[in-house]
Amino acid sequence: MRITGGLWGLRQEINRQATIPLGLEQMERSGVLSNLRIAAGEESGDFQGYRFQDSDLYKQLEAVAWEHARQPGEPYETFAARAAALLARAQRPDGYLNSHYQLVKPDRIYAELEWSHEMYCAGHLFQAAVAAARAGLAPQLVEVARKFADQMVGVFLDGGNDGIDGHAEVETALVELYRLTGERPYLELAAKLIDNRGKGLIPETGLGPLYAQDHLPVREADTAVGHAVRQLYLEAGIVDVALETGDESLMECSVRRWEDMVATKTAITGGLGSRHDGEAFGERYELPPDRAYNESCAAIASIHWNWRLLLATGDVRYADLIERTLYNAFAASTSADGERFFYVNPLQRRADLVEDAYLGRRRGWFACACCPPNIMRLLSSLGHYVATTRENALYVHQYMPGTIDAGEFAVSVETDYPWDGRVVITVTRAPATPWSLMLRVPGEGYTGHPRTWQVGEQVELELDMTPRLVYPHHRIDALRGCAAIERGPLVYCFEQADQDVEDLALVEDAQLRTVPAELPGIGRTVLIETGALRVAEASRGLPYSPHHHLATSTGTTATAVPYFQWDNRDGGAMRVWVPLA
């Protein structure tokens, strides 16, 4: 199936062409390419960056491959071919490839798996190679990946080494490499690594076994714990192994944790990870808006997991969560001009924020640059999350303008979603036999039935875009007494650029009015205006007394912007959840 077209703001309002060249420039400046040239014996010097620095290049390569598949270009071919050749020269004869350990700790290879990220880096290499193969790009990259994977099989499968990486990721990558090559040992190694979780095989790091999901065997764990990105990548691998081996126990435990996570540990934006300490999931209903971590990489990993669950089950709730995460937690990670990024995505910024630079404004890059190239690879592969086929049926999961080519059956999609709820689908090619065109209705399911289609026939879908107040679960202490605003798939927030958000209170029965607008720094948007109160404490400046908690309030109009568009203007205070008057 081939999909062309763009996803509203992620393809059309984020400057994708600015993003990828910036990434290539930063790869050079951050030392990634230099490290590999030193490992290849072509330069002299010291290793630069973190021990997992190689993975930034691999994610960039994956992004380049998907871009080339979408719109072939000579710059992509040249970069991928040169990078693959450099990796081949840096790779050891036995297949091992990790510039940090080759240059800094050659005697500690696979001896520090709790921290080393060796398998994690390998996994991103494998995924880049799979993407390149599917895009018809840089065949040498697959050779490098297979040589490394074979070395890992020799050590950890045939050689009996039971070590597991502290940062899950390689599990899903090994399955993808198995699907590409048919080499079953890759699948067997992925299954072994998953089965080894919870056996205490990760040495003590000072962060405890929950941090790296080594506290319980995966089939026994009921809730997502520890480092959020690690948990989510592990879940993607669990579902992949379950699909390829038919192990229902793996599928059941992953779905069980998904249900618990969505019910008790997921922000309204789809963001995941409530704690800065350990970049981790917290307890159930521990969802503070101002201290929320919600790492951009966690949003990406969540989409990977949900996509696999959707493919495995066809359950609409996974497509719904992909949409929520994509339009909010993920889309907010990148500035309107596509050149600056968030590492973390809180739901509230206080006016006097001074504590944590990661909670400040978006940056052009990070020393720990896991998020920007990760954002690039998801942006470049977005077309793969739009639609699927099953027998004589086309399922459309996400709505974006473009064309969907499903062999005998093809359609074009016209829509301005999420600004407008109208979706028009036109049949451009159809067989003489019945086909089902199955369209997702958020929160409800898929609508459609088999019929014989004629070229030119249209289906029009009207999705409800009425603005609405939403309320938090009563157990979320940090949000009690508050409400937020949603419209369609978009979560909204209130920014200091439009009003004093610190003393704002929403009026519960006020009308919510939509206002299309063009804003400096943001561009096109749809605002929501609502009646509110401006609250002023009469006791401000007085010594504390329970009798001084008096306030005066005046009516005002509050203006909300889509959460994904925040921090493109003044860098001031922001709130998603606002107290009710």
Side-chain angles (χ1 to χ4, degrees):
M1 179 170 58
R2 180 174 176 80
I3 300 168
T4 61
L7 185 68
W8 63 276
L10 299 179
R11 277 287 188 211
Q12 297 168 356
E13 293 173 31
I14 286 176
N15 188 342
R16 175 182 48 80
Q17 297 302 327
T19 302
I20 286 184
L22 172 67
L24 300 182
E25 175 189 347
Q26 290 287 355
M27 290 296 152
E28 191 69 62
R29 289 171 56 190
S30 65
V32 179
L33 300 179
S34 177
N35 292 338
L36 291 164
R37 287 193 286 264
I38 296 170
E42 300 168 1
E43 287 184 9
S44 60
D46 297 326
F47 179 88
Q48 302 176 55
Y50 294 89
R51 65 186 69 197
F52 46 80
Q53 208 78 4
D54 291 358
S55 65
D56 294 343
L57 172 62
Y58 300 150
K59 284 181 274 191
Q60 181 65 41
L61 274 169
E62 185 179 345
V64 166
W66 294 131
E67 281 296 306
H68 181 74
R70 190 185 67 84
Q71 187 172 348
E74 189 277 331
Y76 300 137
E77 293 178 353
T78 299
F79 172 74
R82 289 179 177 175
L86 174 58
L87 291 169
R89 297 194 301 273
Q91 190 170 34
R92 293 195 332 183
D94 67 352
Y96 181 85
L97 177 59
N98 184 289
S99 66
H100 178 266
Y101 278 87
Q102 288 173 242
L103 297 175
V104 180
K105 295 183 177 181
D107 59 336
R108 299 292 291 166
I109 288 173
Y110 296 140
E112 302 174 334
L113 286 172
E114 66 273 21
W115 288 116
S116 71
H117 291 72
E118 288 164 277
M119 292 186 184
Y120 167 85
C121 290
H124 281 300
L125 169 61
F126 301 162
Q127 288 183 307
V130 170
R134 291 174 179 170
L137 197 67
Q140 190 174 19
L141 194 59
V142 174
E143 297 174 13
V144 171
R146 292 191 63 172
K147 192 175 179 180
F148 195 178
D150 291 342
Q151 191 266 350
M152 290 178 59
V153 166
V155 172
F156 295 99
L157 193 62
D158 301 336
N161 187 322
D162 286 328
I164 50 176
D165 199 299
H167 197 312
E169 202 283 336
V170 75
E171 297 83 358
T172 190
L174 281 166
V175 178
E176 290 187 24
L177 194 60
Y178 158 70
R179 290 168 176 157
L180 176 70
T181 65
E183 290 293 326
R184 192 165 183 84
Y186 303 158
L187 174 61
E188 294 171 355
L189 177 55
K192 178 183 178 181
L193 294 174
I194 288 169
D195 286 339
N196 278 350
R197 293 274 166 181
K199 295 182 178 179
L201 296 174
I202 297 179
E204 176 56 46
T205 62
L207 295 172
L210 274 69
Y211 177 75
Q213 297 77 45
D214 197 33
H215 61 303
L216 285 171
V218 298
R219 292 171 180 81
E220 298 177 20
D222 292 327
T223 189
V225 299
H227 190 281
V229 178
R230 300 177 190 223
Q231 176 78 69
L232 297 165
Y233 278 151
L234 177 62
E235 298 291 358
I238 288 170
V239 176
D240 273 334
V241 170
L243 285 170
E244 295 299 335
T245 63
D247 189 334
E248 291 294 333
S249 66
L250 284 178
M251 183 64 67
E252 187 278 330
C253 74
S254 192
V255 170
R256 184 173 71 241
R257 284 187 294 275
W258 184 92
E259 291 174 342
D260 179 81
M261 182 191 77
V262 171
T264 69
K265 297 186 177 184
T266 303
I268 187 175
T269 59
L272 296 165
S274 60
R275 294 182 179 179
H276 285 239
D277 184 14
E279 302 179 313
F281 286 103
E283 305 296 339
R284 292 181 172 99
Y285 304 107
E286 181 189 341
L287 292 168
D290 49 349
R291 294 297 298 164
Y293 202 68
N294 294 346
E295 186 180 340
S296 297
C297 283
I300 294 163
S302 172
I303 290 170
H304 289 176
W305 180 22
N306 278 277
W307 177 243
R308 286 158 174 78
L309 286 169
L310 177 62
L311 292 176
T313 67
D315 193 325
V316 72
R317 59 185 179 169
Y318 304 121
D320 286 347
L321 185 53
I322 288 174
E323 179 184 75
R324 177 174 295 275
T325 305
L326 196 60
Y327 285 91
N328 298 288
F330 175 74
S333 67
T334 308
S335 61
D337 61 10
E339 295 188 358
R340 293 175 294 114
F341 307 88
F342 272 140
Y343 197 111
V344 302
N345 296 272
L347 277 67
Q348 179 180 353
R349 177 196 281 163
R350 299 184 185 275
D352 59 351
L353 175 72
V354 294
E355 174 189 355
D356 190 339
Y358 278 113
L359 286 174
R361 305 204 69 179
R362 295 181 182 91
R363 299 183 189 180
W365 204 254
F366 301 91
C368 176
C370 58
C371 293
N374 216 8
I375 292 166
M376 294 175 205
R377 72 179 182 131
L378 185 64
L379 270 176
S380 298
S381 62
L382 274 178
H384 298 273
Y385 298 92
V386 171
T388 57
T389 56
R390 181 180 180 182
E391 297 173 347
N392 293 330
L394 172 65
Y395 287 77
V396 182
H397 307 294
Q398 308 298 334
Y399 297 111
M400 53 183 280
T403 60
I404 304 174
D405 187 338
E408 291 184 280
F409 194 68
V411 299
S412 65
V413 182
E414 297 176 67
T415 185
D416 202 20
Y417 193 72
W419 307 128
D420 184 274
R422 183 169 180 262
V423 182
V424 177
I425 298 180
T426 304
V427 176
T428 58
R429 184 169 62 250
T433 54
W435 266 72
S436 296
L437 177 58
M438 307 297 293
L439 306 180
R440 181 177 65 92
V441 179
E444 296 181 18
Y446 293 91
T447 180
H449 58 272
R451 56 162 293 182
T452 302
W453 296 88
Q454 303 297 320
V455 172
E457 283 191 282
Q458 291 185 332
V459 175
E460 184 172 323
L461 185 66
E462 279 287 347
L463 300 175
D464 185 11
M465 303 297 286
T466 306
R468 58 196 180 273
L469 280 182
V470 293
Y471 305 92
H473 192 282
H474 67 276
R475 293 186 185 177
I476 306 176
D477 295 331
L479 302 179
R480 193 170 289 126
C482 293
I485 293 177
E486 294 181 334
R487 178 178 181 264
L490 297 181
V491 174
Y492 275 68
C493 69
F494 296 86
E495 284 198 279
Q496 193 72 23
D498 301 308
Q499 62 263 305
D500 182 2
V501 302
E502 299 284 5
D503 295 317
L504 192 67
L506 296 180
V507 177
E508 192 166 12
D509 59 355
Q511 181 184 2
L512 300 175
R513 301 177 296 276
T514 58
V515 181
E518 288 275 344
L519 296 181
I522 287 179
R524 183 188 181 194
T525 189
V526 174
L527 306 175
I528 294 179
E529 294 182 345
T530 183
L533 296 179
R534 187 185 303 112
V535 182
E537 291 185 34
S539 60
R540 182 168 294 166
L542 297 177
Y544 172 77
S545 165
H547 303 294
H548 288 158
H549 283 234
L550 304 174
T552 61
S553 60
T554 56
T556 187
T557 297
T559 301
V561 300
Y563 172 76
F564 86 90
Q565 293 180 321
W566 85 284
D567 190 57
N568 283 293
R569 293 183 288 173
D570 67 352
M574 178 276 293
R575 296 189 72 132
V576 170
W577 293 101
V578 178
L580 287 166

